[in-house]
Amino acid sequence: MRILAIETSCDDTAVSLVEASGDLSAPAFTVLAHEVSSQTATHAAWGGVVPTLAKREHGKNLVPLLAQVLSKAESSEKPVENPPAGGLEREVELKDNLIEFLQQTNTPNIDAIAVTQGPGLEPALWVGLNAARALALAWKKPLIPANHLEGHIISPLTNPPVGGVAFPALALIVSGGHTELDLVHSWGQYEQIGATRDDAVGEAFDKVARLMGLPYPGGPAVSHLASRGLSSEPYEESPHKRWNLPRPMIDSPDFDFSFSGLKTAVRYAIEKHGELSEQDKETLAYEFQQAVIDVLTTKTKKALQQFNIQTLIIGGGVIANQKLRHHFALLATKFQTTNPEFQLLIPDFQLATDNATMIAMAAYVRYLKNEFIAPDQITTADDLIAKGTLPLNL
Ligand code: KG4
Ligand code: ZN
């Protein structure tokens, strides 16, 4: 089936068209078209995502992205003459453009519309939800609400592993809003075993970047600096070492994380040191990144051993970090020496950060589990609301 998916949970507006097939044991995906419009420039001036600005930008960006993506879809039917405007009253930036788009665009050859229902920023989520609702009503297609975290977990499946995924798998989500370890019993069945008690790891990157005077989003900026902070000296003698940052909860008996103390330690280190030279920034970024990597890999390794896991899946914006990818690749290689079947699944670079392809994929799992809204039930569906704190294991 062909799924048109919309993602507006944070500061990226994204639309994808994905062909999905197979059953829950081996879902398969082909990306037909995908577009992402980043709002980084809008939010950078504020040092972080401003929900009202995100909402406005999603409203402006969505229709041009839909037009681009659907230009790749065949269409068989004529445009809708009188598209229903219900539900779009609150979307001032979107309403007129979307209705005009529906009146001018041939009804595309798609089978369902997917949209991120949560978690995320509610004003931002509502834009996508209202748009998806209007499209599904006008084109009389099923509507599939999707979970953003399930999207991050399933994102590596655009390159499915040979022989399929062995369950239970372990998923590590490392994004701007979440850091958690989940057992994946099967697609659609998750059990959280650990999570951050305070800041998410991406949030820690963003806050540390701000402390160091780097632009938003902090992850790419810190990791770029860190890559220049590499040293050939042994670690014990290297200039990174003197920052002496903690590895919070690295030895705790559970699978929880805490990154707020690490960020505070960076703040104290900067206050104590005074103005940072370029080399200081590089070594501090390196040491911070290494502290994060040490904690994430140690906790993940412990969970892999304890639950005797065959497949490790990592998703979320922070896995765009090259050094983190490298360290998890090393970890996987170690497991493969004793268990050749062990697999590490990491999304392609552009599918690590937010996108709508992963939303189409997560929606397909929901569709196979019969969790979608039939076209004639859309106007009365009372659960079709943005859910800012939607958990994964529902
Ligand atoms: O998954 P994502 O796009 O959005 C959320 O669902 O939160 O993740 C965004 C997060 C941001 O905190 C950003 O700083 C971080 O991912 N990030 C990185 C890198 N690229 C993005 N963190 C570390 N290194 C990177 N290269
Ligand atoms: Zn995300």
Side-chain angles (χ1 to χ4, degrees):
M1 67 186 290
R2 283 185 167 196
I3 303 177
L4 175 71
I6 296 176
E7 150 67 36
T8 64
S9 70
C10 191
D11 62 339
D12 289 315
T13 321
V15 178
S16 286
L17 182 64
V18 173
E19 175 82 52
S21 60
D23 59 16
L24 270 178
S25 67
F29 303 98
T30 307
V31 183
L32 302 175
H34 65 104
E35 296 292 338
V36 180
S37 171
S38 162
Q39 302 175 7
T40 302
T42 308
H43 299 285
W46 303 90
V49 181
V50 183
T52 48
L53 289 183
K55 175 182 165 66
R56 190 192 70 191
E57 294 298 303
H58 288 313
K60 283 200 254 173
N61 295 337
L62 209 41
V63 169
L65 293 184
L66 281 166
Q68 268 173 286
V69 165
L70 287 177
S71 68
K72 316 261 170 53
E74 299 136 24
S75 53
S76 46
E77 297 166 47
K78 293 200 167 55
V80 179
E81 266 175 35
N82 293 309
L88 286 174
E89 295 82 6
R90 292 208 209 117
E91 307 300 339
V92 274
E93 285 84 7
L94 183 70
K95 187 178 171 203
D96 293 347
N97 288 345
L98 194 66
I99 289 176
E100 193 185 343
F101 168 78
L102 279 166
Q103 286 166 337
Q104 292 175 354
T105 309
N106 284 349
T107 303
N109 205 349
I110 58 171
D111 302 297
I113 293 167
V115 64
T116 309
Q117 181 170 34
L121 304 169
E122 288 193 358
L125 288 164
W126 271 116
V127 183
L129 268 175
N130 284 328
R133 216 174 89 97
L135 295 178
L137 277 173
W139 291 335
K140 300 187 174 54
K141 305 288 177 191
L143 182 57
I144 319 172
N147 184 308
H148 185 86
L149 298 177
E150 187 165 29
H152 277 307
I153 289 184
I154 203 166
S155 63
L157 277 203
T158 49
N159 299 316
V162 183
V165 177
F167 295 111
L170 178 73
L172 171 67
I173 302 176
V174 280
S175 72
H178 293 84
T179 301
E180 60 183 74
L181 277 166
D182 301 278
L183 294 177
V184 182
H185 294 292
S186 62
W187 293 118
Q189 241 201 313
Y190 313 100
E191 180 188 346
Q192 190 183 85
I193 57 166
T196 183
R197 296 186 179 176
D198 39 59
D199 292 352
V201 63
E203 188 180 356
F205 268 95
D206 295 337
K207 287 178 174 170
V208 162
R210 207 179 311 172
L211 290 171
M212 292 171 68
L214 300 169
Y216 171 85
V222 170
S223 65
H224 180 69
L225 257 189
S227 68
R228 291 196 277 141
L230 273 173
S231 162
S232 54
E233 296 158 82
Y235 183 69
E236 292 303 316
E237 295 156 31
S238 79
H240 329 121
K241 182 73 174 122
R242 72 186 147 88
W243 295 109
N244 204 15
L245 295 178
R247 270 64 175 160
M249 296 186 71
I250 196 163
D251 293 320
S252 72
D254 50 29
F255 297 107
D256 283 348
F257 302 94
S258 166
F259 292 104
S260 136
L262 179 56
K263 163 207 69 193
T264 308
V266 171
R267 179 185 310 132
Y268 288 153
I270 294 174
E271 282 169 7
K272 191 167 155 217
H273 183 277
E275 200 176 329
L276 299 173
S277 69
E278 218 29 48
Q279 205 216 358
D280 291 333
K281 285 188 186 174
E282 289 169 6
T283 56
L284 180 55
Y286 183 93
E287 171 66 359
F288 165 74
Q289 181 175 270
Q290 195 56 49
V292 167
I293 291 171
D294 288 348
V295 173
L296 291 175
T297 50
T298 303
K299 280 277 158 92
T300 303
K301 182 177 171 194
K302 199 173 88 166
L304 289 172
Q305 286 166 335
Q306 184 162 324
F307 294 96
N308 197 17
I309 298 289
Q310 303 267 0
T311 312
L312 172 60
I313 304 169
I314 310 179
V318 182
I319 200 61
N321 185 294
Q322 295 290 2
K323 191 83 188 291
L324 187 62
R325 290 170 96 92
H326 174 67
H327 277 266
F328 274 112
L330 291 179
L331 184 68
T333 307
K334 268 193 210 140
F335 274 82
Q336 277 154 356
T337 55
T338 50
N339 175 7
E341 308 285 298
F342 184 86
Q343 309 222 45
L344 171 64
L345 307 184
I346 291 188
D348 285 346
F349 190 76
Q350 81 273 17
L351 288 182
T353 47
D354 290 348
N355 62 85
T357 299
M358 69 182 198
I359 298 308
M361 296 160 81
Y364 184 58
V365 167
R366 295 290 130 197
Y367 183 84
L368 292 177
K369 290 173 87 75
N370 272 321
E371 294 172 29
F372 60 91
I373 306 167
D376 59 352
Q377 284 161 18
I378 292 172
T379 44
T380 52
D382 51 9
D383 200 39
L384 196 53
I385 54 169
K387 296 184 177 174
T389 57
L390 184 68
L392 178 65
N393 43 338
L394 265 186

